[in-house]
Amino acid sequence: MQDESAEEFPYRTEYKKKSIRSYVIRAGRMTEGQRRAFDTYWGQYGLSLFDGPLDPNEAFGREAPLVLEIGFGMGDSLLAMAQAEPDKNFIGIEVHPPGVGRLINGAGKAGVENLRVYMADAVDVLNDCISGGIVDRFQLYFPDPWHKKKHHKRRIVQQEFVRLVCSKLRTGGLMHMATDWQNYAEHMLEVLQAEQLLENTSPNKDYVERPEWRPETKFERRGQRLGHGVWDLVYRRLPEAR
């Protein structure tokens, strides 16, 4: 997972064994600041997959709308959102320790209180920790596109995954995805359109302008300089059919 040994760095990504994952845990050296952040702030911000079902009111010490983001990368945009929307509780899920370390370091130094983090497999967290109908907004920004056709089965956006997320959304809750790969955007659109519990908020039933709550990232700006487009999709959770 990273260069440090388990004795030197005891914090490990949590997951259950499965044959196909949507990510690869890449080795990478952590900065001293990221390493220290785990010792200093993980107790405040960290959640464990193996603690089972989460009570958000208990975890945050208050009742507030819940935003859940999968794959927050280095965490800059998630931290910015948590700071910009203090009336909401934010949960981030990420498998890569350097990004988790950077996020909790920034959050701790800024005194952010409305943020919690899982360093774990997102599907495992959804299945074991997030109860049905408690999420007000779900976010998936720039997931690994697995652009080679033979790897498309590894893309996290599949029908089963979307149905799982739907089960966690409140009626009227939002599912927001963004990508800078057109092929993946088209795949997302096809999968989301096929889900009967979702309604596209786009008047054209395709993509929307970047919502005000999603910050423009360095990654995104770099892609735009290279001529890449960015596609946002926002869907609303419909009530169950009677």
Side-chain angles (χ1 to χ4, degrees), residues 38-229:
F38 278 91
D39 292 331
T40 306
Y41 298 120
W42 184 250
Q44 177 180 352
Y45 294 109
L47 300 171
S48 175
L49 165 66
F50 301 114
D51 284 343
L54 178 74
D55 181 344
N57 295 348
E58 180 179 334
F60 290 94
R62 67 171 187 172
E63 183 175 354
L66 182 62
V67 180
L68 177 67
E69 179 167 339
I70 285 178
F72 55 75
M74 297 309 288
D76 294 348
S77 64
L78 180 55
L79 177 57
M81 283 184 282
Q83 292 175 301
E85 299 182 89
D87 60 313
K88 297 180 176 63
N89 293 332
F90 287 78
I91 292 177
I93 307 175
E94 176 58 62
V95 295
H96 300 296
V100 175
R102 178 182 172 91
L103 173 62
I104 63 175
N105 192 45
K109 289 181 175 179
V112 172
E113 298 181 351
N114 61 328
L115 176 68
R116 299 293 183 272
V117 181
Y118 284 99
M119 190 164 72
D121 180 286
V123 173
D124 290 340
V125 172
L126 287 170
N127 278 318
D128 292 2
C129 305
I130 307 300
S131 301
I134 68 169
V135 177
D136 292 88
R137 192 168 82 220
F138 170 81
Q139 302 176 166
L140 178 68
Y141 300 152
F142 307 104
D144 193 325
W146 294 103
H147 54 277
K148 293 182 180 179
K149 191 170 184 179
K150 67 180 180 179
H151 291 152
H152 283 186
K153 63 185 178 182
R154 290 186 176 273
R155 288 177 168 177
I156 192 169
V157 182
Q158 307 288 352
Q159 208 66 54
E160 183 179 3
F161 171 77
V162 169
R163 173 51 67 100
L164 175 61
V165 174
C166 276
S167 72
K168 310 303 177 180
L169 282 173
R170 297 185 190 278
T171 298
L174 298 178
M175 186 181 299
H176 181 197
M177 299 185 184
T179 180
D180 64 342
W181 284 80
Q182 184 173 1
N183 175 267
Y184 202 179
E186 292 167 352
H187 170 80
M188 288 176 171
L189 182 63
E190 181 180 354
V191 172
L192 292 169
Q193 283 293 117
E195 176 51 62
Q196 295 182 350
L197 289 174
L198 292 175
E199 174 185 50
N200 197 331
T201 64
S202 165
N204 298 321
K205 302 304 178 187
D206 50 12
Y207 311 104
V208 299
E209 294 295 320
R210 176 174 60 86
E212 60 180 9
W213 64 75
R214 181 174 75 77
E216 190 177 52
T217 65
K218 293 180 182 177
F219 174 85
E220 184 176 356
R221 289 192 291 271
R222 182 181 65 187
Q224 289 173 338
R225 287 196 298 270
L226 295 172
H228 299 168

